[in-house]
Amino acid sequence: MHTAETLTLARLPSGMPVETTVHTYGDGTGPTVYVQAAQHGREINGTEVIRRIHERLDSDDLSGTLVTVPVADPLTFDRVSYTTPESLDAVHSNMNRVWPGNEEGSLHERMAAALWEYAGEADYIVDLHTGSPEMLTHTVYLDGDDDCRRLAEAFGTELLLAEAAGDDADTEWSERNFGGKLRVAATRAGIPSITPELAHNKELVEPAIETGVRGVFNVLREVEMLSGDPEIPAAQTTARNHLGRVSAAESGLFHPGPDAELGRQVEEGDHLGRVYHPTTYEVLQEATADRTGVIYSVCREATVTAGQTLVGVAMPADDEEPDH
C-alpha cells in the first residue's frame, strides 16, 4: 500500500503555506524506517534516490512501514541553497540545527517540528545529504552508538565517519550547534540514525544516486523489512569525522597540490597545496596534512577565506573495525 500526503510545514508572512509531500509504504505493521532528503536545497541527489525507490519498491514485499520525504526544506530547495535568507528565518537559517524543532519557534523550528511528527515515531532514520563534487561518498553516525554503527555499515559506503558528540567533540560541535542535527537529535531520542553524504550537489550524478538507492534498500534488508542480505563492500574504512581538516590560515587563492586527490592515503606533513596572495603573489600558506589518513574532501573553488577547510583528511579509527 502507498499513500501520499501533503503536509503544511509552516506559513510565510503572506499566509502562503510551505508544503511538502510525505509518502508512506506498507501496511503499518512491523518497524518503521523514515528517509528524508533535501534539508539543504542544493543537495538534490537524495531527492532522486527517493523517487527511484518509489519506482522500484513493491510495498507488498515490505514487512514494516517506510516513510519518505523527498524535499524536507522547500525554502532552500527553491533557492538551490544550503540555508534560507535572514528575511525568512533570522534566528535559524540552517534547518539541520534545530531538531526536533519547536511548533511555536522560528520558521525552520516549526518545519522541523512538523516533520518530527513522522521522524520521531520511526524506529530508524536515514537523512540523505549531498556533499561537494570533490568529496568521497561516506556515511556519518554518532560515535560510540552500536546501533547507528550497524546501520551505517549496512548502508554500504566504503567510508564511514564516526562523529563525536557533546563533551567528546571539539569546539566546532558547540560553535555550529551540531546538537540540533536530525541524526543527533534522533539518536539521543533512542532512534538509530545515519547521514549518508552522497557527493555532488546541484546536479544529478548517477553513481551517487545509485549508491543511495542501494544503501536505502540495504537498510531495509538489515532491519528485516525486506528479504535478503545487504550488499556491503568487502572492505570498509571507519574514520573520525571533523578531525584532520586542513584549514586556510589566510584568505587568498588556494592551489591544490598533486597529492591532494580524493581517496589518497597521506602521511602527516605531506604537502597538499598552497594559499597565495592574488595581487602580490606572496605564498601565504603551505598546506600540509596534520595527520595520517585518507583524503575525503578537497576544496576546488579557488577563492578561500581564513578558516575555510581546504582538505579533509579522515583519520582511521583503529578501535572501530567494521564487522562485515
Side-chain angles (χ1 to χ4, degrees):
M1 183 176 69
H2 166 247
T3 60
E5 172 191 359
T6 299
L7 174 67
T8 297
L9 299 170
R11 294 192 180 276
L12 298 175
S14 65
M16 293 295 294
V18 180
E19 297 178 337
T20 194
T21 304
V22 179
H23 296 266
T24 303
Y25 307 83
D27 58 7
T29 62
T32 296
V33 173
Y34 174 90
V35 183
Q36 72 169 31
Q39 265 206 89
H40 302 133
R42 66 189 185 191
E43 302 177 10
I44 57 174
N45 280 297
T47 302
E48 176 64 10
V49 166
I50 291 176
R51 186 187 73 84
R52 294 192 189 186
I53 289 169
H54 172 79
E55 289 184 338
R56 301 177 190 180
L57 178 67
D58 186 343
S59 58
D60 291 337
D61 294 337
L62 278 178
S63 297
T65 303
L66 173 65
V67 178
T68 66
V69 180
V71 178
D73 190 341
L75 298 177
T76 56
F77 192 90
D78 288 347
R79 291 163 176 78
V80 196
S81 64
Y82 186 76
T83 58
T84 61
E86 185 178 356
S87 59
L88 291 179
D89 195 328
V91 182
H92 300 291
S93 62
N94 188 338
M95 184 177 177
N96 202 27
R97 299 293 184 269
V98 301
W99 294 88
N102 179 352
E103 62 183 14
E104 297 181 354
S106 71
L107 199 64
H108 268 156
E109 287 178 310
R110 293 174 186 234
M111 292 167 63
L115 290 173
W116 186 254
E117 292 294 317
Y118 299 85
E121 294 297 317
D123 297 290
Y124 306 94
I125 290 176
V126 179
D127 184 19
L128 295 169
H129 283 253
T130 299
S132 67
E134 285 294 322
M135 176 180 283
L136 287 179
T137 292
H138 61 274
T139 305
V140 186
Y141 68 97
L142 197 63
D143 190 19
D145 190 295
D146 291 339
D147 290 331
C148 293
R149 172 184 164 186
R150 176 174 71 94
L151 214 61
E153 291 173 4
F155 191 87
T157 56
E158 293 183 356
L159 177 62
L160 311 177
L161 293 184
E163 183 178 75
D167 293 338
D168 296 328
D170 58 22
T171 57
E172 184 179 21
W173 174 269
S174 57
E175 290 172 352
R176 297 181 63 185
N177 194 26
F178 283 171
K181 293 180 180 181
L182 170 58
R183 172 177 48 78
V184 177
T187 301
R188 287 175 166 171
I191 307 170
S193 306
I194 57 174
T195 303
E197 292 276 1
L198 299 176
H200 293 281
N201 57 36
K202 297 184 181 180
E203 59 178 326
L204 297 177
V205 178
E206 283 301 314
I209 294 165
E210 286 303 316
T211 295
V213 173
R214 183 175 62 251
V216 172
F217 276 114
N218 276 347
V219 167
L220 296 179
R221 295 185 182 102
E222 177 68 19
V223 302
E224 299 182 347
M225 282 176 55
L226 287 177
S227 60
D229 296 323
E231 301 175 17
I232 301 174
Q236 288 180 310
T237 299
T238 304
R240 303 294 187 188
N241 200 20
H242 300 302
L243 293 176
R245 290 187 174 188
V246 180
S247 301
E250 300 285 348
S251 300
L253 292 181
F254 175 56
H255 189 278
D259 289 340
E261 296 180 359
L262 288 180
R264 187 185 185 100
Q265 294 284 337
V266 293
E267 303 290 331
E268 182 179 354
D270 282 357
H271 187 264
L272 300 177
R274 60 176 52 91
V275 178
Y276 66 90
H277 195 294
T279 63
T280 67
Y281 318 133
E282 175 189 2
V283 175
L284 302 174
Q285 178 185 2
E286 296 288 358
T288 59
D290 66 343
R291 67 195 67 220
T292 297
V294 59
I295 294 178
Y296 74 93
S297 70
V298 180
C299 177
R300 297 295 181 187
E301 295 183 4
T303 305
V304 297
T305 56
Q308 183 176 338
T309 298
L310 304 177
V311 181
V313 180
M315 182 180 68
D318 295 333
D319 61 334
E320 292 279 352
E321 291 298 326
D323 297 326
H324 302 287

